[in-house]
Amino acid sequence: MSCEGDMSESKAKKIEIKDVDGQTLSKLIDYIYTAEIEVTEENVQVLLPAASLLQLMDVRQNCCDFLQSQLHPTNCLGIRAFADVHTCTDLLQQANAYAEQHFPEVMLGEEFLSLSLDQVCSLISSDKLTVSSEEKVFEAVISWINYEKETRLDHMAELMEHVRLPLLPRDYLVQTVEEEALIKNNNACKDFLIEAMKYHLLPLDQRLLIKNPRTKPRTPVSLPKVMIVVGGQAPKAIRSVECYDFEEGRWDQIAELPSRRCRAGVVFMAGHVYAVGGFNGSLRVRTVDVYDGVKDQWTSIASMQERRSTLGAAVLNDLLYAVGGFDGSTGLASVEAYSYKTNEWFFVAPMNTRRSSVGVGVVEGKLYAVGGYDGASRQCLSTVEQYNPATNEWIYVADMSTRRSGAGVGVLSGQLYATGGHDGPLVRKSVEVYDPGTNTWKQVADMNMCRRNAGVCAVNGLLYVVGGDDGSCNLASVEYYNPVTDKWTLLPSNMSTGRSYAGVAVIHKSL
């Protein structure tokens, strides 16, 4: 538009404003008079372009802020595309960062499967992709191809170029990648697989010299994390859930469990916290509740096959394992696994020993069941078993130095920690660590307090042990272990409630 002489609109009786409907225009005129406007899910997609057209920059910014507040793994790619079309640069960057940071959940959604080839390449080649393992990126590629196999099959090699196969565990390369038909039938993909195998055969010092984009570890932005403590006994089963913000060093109450629950297995998987089985104050239960941190709400999913309290729960290869426990009359050796993809539970091989009050942890693709109580000989156990999902077998590994039932078990830097627990009436503060490489246990520094039936999690290189009881009362304190200094430190602030038999998980802090 030139300035002078081209203002024909100023003389016209009637001006047609294209691309804006009457209702939206009326809202914007109200805004000009009142400086107030309500942005909603229903109107944001028409309001933002109209505000841009009429150069109402505050309204446009309000729309962008609203969309940012709505970011979720199921819609962030759609919001990213919308921001791109309307050149909302900040929103585009925020939605893109959100998609990278929540990739394991984003890749399960319809939006991801509908992306173009270029968009998928751009997302999976990002150094900032937050994935617990490169397996997620490989699975994402396979599911994107399979979604429209006929038209997408030819793009397999272009995508595999961005999957960092050398960084995958050797077992996964052999058992999963090599067995994948899409890889077998494609020579370029086979070359990438051979490259990865060669990388594994090289000594460490030679590996480090390779400057190849596929051997470079990703460097995700570390999102602020929070620790969620679920249910527990105080002194009866409770519904309360507390959350500890590591950045701000404070505790908050969040959405309560749908019903009372203690002695449950609690894990984080695919973006959600799962509370599995447990005791509701009168019965051992099979039920499972799932927490969505974005919505701050719990929902129920498929129940286990068996009732289990004081079970061990852990995640391995995208399956949630429920290990042993007590069904109300006996200790259990049985183990079942849950797939969130099918919402089904199925049995796997049972352990060699019945174990209630068992602690579990996953190290290098194997699941460990530590100590517990066998019920039959009425003994607390020092034995430890290892489950291999590839062979579906349990074998014994080295015993701990001492019997521990109700030990808090956690994993830090590829080592398995057994903290506290008890042997008969004696509650322990001692801690020992298992190294799978040498199949040996060694003692480390004692905790500050005797604890059994505590929750455990690892965050930012530290091992946190939460609550529990010391044999006479439930504890509200939390302490953490630093392996570099071999020291335990009490957190300055306690939970609002002393609780034992609570489950603990760590999630990303919601935006």
Side-chain angles (χ1 to χ4, degrees):
M1 232 189 220
S2 63
C3 298
E4 297 272 353
D6 195 15
M7 296 296 284
S8 54
E9 285 99 333
S10 62
K11 298 186 180 64
K13 293 222 166 64
K14 183 176 170 189
I15 302 162
E16 187 182 346
I17 299 179
K18 292 194 170 75
D19 305 328
V20 182
D21 65 90
Q23 207 182 355
T24 306
L25 188 59
S26 135
K27 267 199 158 67
L28 289 169
I29 291 167
D30 287 349
Y31 167 77
I32 292 166
Y33 286 105
T34 63
E36 281 178 17
I37 194 159
E38 189 192 1
V39 182
T40 65
E41 255 176 90
E42 286 67 45
N43 71 17
V44 68
Q45 296 202 347
V46 286
L47 210 49
L48 190 143
S52 304
L53 185 73
L54 300 171
Q55 300 193 349
L56 295 170
M57 290 314 174
D58 289 358
V59 178
R60 181 181 148 99
Q61 189 56 49
N62 279 350
C63 291
C64 289
D65 293 347
F66 174 78
L67 286 170
Q68 196 208 330
S69 75
Q70 297 294 302
L71 285 170
H72 187 269
T74 55
N75 69 16
C76 58
L77 294 173
I79 290 176
R80 184 180 77 166
F82 182 74
D84 196 16
V85 169
H86 298 291
T87 54
C88 306
T89 325
D90 286 354
L91 180 62
L92 177 65
Q93 285 169 345
Q94 287 155 347
N96 193 57
Y98 186 94
E100 290 175 343
Q101 288 161 357
H102 297 81
F103 184 74
E105 295 93 77
V106 170
M107 63 174 260
L108 302 171
E110 198 70 26
E111 286 191 343
F112 173 76
L113 296 171
S114 308
L115 289 177
S116 71
L117 173 68
D118 288 349
Q119 289 170 322
V120 176
C121 285
S122 143
L123 190 56
I124 65 170
S125 61
S126 166
D127 274 345
K128 298 278 173 276
L129 213 57
T130 304
V131 281
S132 52
S133 144
E134 199 65 19
E135 290 167 27
K136 288 274 170 255
V137 188
F138 177 74
E139 285 168 19
V141 165
I142 300 301
S143 51
W144 185 84
I145 296 275
N146 282 332
Y147 188 67
E148 283 176 15
K149 202 162 176 178
E150 283 66 38
T151 52
R152 292 178 174 179
L153 200 54
D154 297 344
H155 301 314
M156 189 65 193
E158 279 170 87
L159 287 162
M160 288 308 293
E161 190 179 339
H162 303 296
V163 181
R164 305 182 185 189
L165 288 181
L167 305 182
L168 283 165
R170 211 169 357 186
D171 289 0
Y172 188 85
L173 284 171
V174 176
Q175 288 155 11
T176 307
V177 179
E178 195 181 10
E179 292 304 311
E180 172 55 58
L182 294 172
I183 298 278
K184 279 186 168 164
N185 301 325
N186 186 308
N187 284 335
C189 291
K190 278 198 230 164
D191 290 344
F192 289 130
L193 180 61
I194 290 166
E195 171 189 76
M197 299 287 206
K198 280 183 176 167
Y199 183 78
H200 275 274
L201 293 171
L202 291 173
L204 191 61
D205 51 352
Q206 285 177 23
R207 279 191 204 181
L208 297 173
L209 296 173
I210 298 176
K211 292 283 177 271
N212 169 331
R214 282 178 294 283
T215 60
K216 180 183 173 203
R218 296 184 191 265
T219 49
V221 179
S222 70
L223 286 178
K225 295 184 171 82
V226 293
M227 175 165 71
I228 297 206
V229 184
V230 180
Q233 270 176 226
K236 289 206 172 95
I238 54 175
R239 289 177 56 191
S240 145
V241 182
E242 304 196 46
C243 145
Y244 181 73
D245 186 321
F246 291 99
E247 273 189 316
E248 293 170 27
R250 65 149 204 242
W251 291 93
D252 292 303
Q253 297 286 332
I254 55 175
E256 288 196 320
L257 284 159
S259 54
R260 298 169 177 272
R261 204 188 272 270
C262 63
R263 311 181 196 171
V266 171
V267 298
F268 176 75
M269 174 172 76
H272 294 87
V273 175
Y274 289 71
V276 180
F279 181 60
N280 64 13
S282 51
L283 290 170
R284 277 83 196 170
V285 298
R286 302 187 300 134
T287 54
V288 184
D289 293 318
V290 182
Y291 177 72
D292 180 331
V294 179
K295 296 179 180 158
D296 188 32
Q297 71 186 34
W298 290 88
T299 49
S300 296
I301 55 160
S303 292
M304 291 185 290
Q305 317 249 11
E306 295 202 69
R307 299 175 180 278
R308 301 174 189 271
S309 75
T310 70
L311 63 152
V315 177
L316 174 57
N317 302 339
D318 264 355
L319 294 173
L320 161 50
Y321 286 84
V323 178
F326 181 69
D327 66 5
S329 55
T330 63
L332 302 169
S334 69
V335 180
E336 44 190 306
Y338 170 79
S339 162
Y340 63 83
K341 293 168 183 169
T342 59
N343 189 30
E344 285 173 332
W345 286 92
F346 55 92
F347 282 107
V348 297
M351 295 180 288
N352 298 298
T353 322
R354 297 173 182 274
R355 295 177 193 268
S356 59
S357 291
V358 60
V360 298
V362 169
V363 186
E364 289 176 0
K366 308 283 197 304
L367 175 67
Y368 291 84
V370 178
Y373 180 73
D374 77 350
S377 61
R378 308 216 166 158
Q379 292 272 348
C380 295
L381 301 166
S382 59
T383 59
V384 180
E385 305 187 42
Q386 177 207 74
Y387 175 71
N388 182 345
T391 57
N392 190 30
E393 284 175 326
W394 287 91
I395 57 167
Y396 286 106
V397 294
D399 285 6
M400 293 182 285
S401 69
T402 181
R403 300 172 187 273
R404 294 178 195 269
S405 175
V409 172
V411 174
L412 203 52
S413 330
Q415 310 229 305
L416 188 71
Y417 285 73
T419 66
H422 67 102
D423 179 11
L426 179 71
V427 180
R428 304 192 180 282
K429 59 164 75 164
S430 67
V431 180
E432 47 190 311
V433 186
Y434 176 73
D435 180 343
T438 57
N439 188 29
T440 52
W441 287 89
K442 67 167 194 200
Q443 296 273 141
V444 293
D446 285 359
M447 294 185 287
N448 290 292
M449 329 268 273
C450 298
R451 294 176 195 267
R452 62 177 177 191
N453 310 320
V456 178
C457 65
V459 188
N460 303 334
L462 303 171
L463 191 77
Y464 287 78
V465 180
V466 179
D469 70 270
D470 59 10
S472 60
C473 69
N474 290 324
L475 304 168
S477 64
V478 175
E479 49 187 300
Y480 58 88
Y481 176 71
N482 183 337
V484 179
T485 57
D486 188 31
K487 275 201 175 66
W488 287 92
T489 309
L490 281 155
L491 266 192
S493 59
N494 284 355
M495 294 183 283
S496 68
T497 311
R499 46 177 108 201
S500 62
Y501 287 115
V504 181
V506 176
I507 67 172
H508 292 315
K509 191 171 168 176
S510 298
L511 286 172

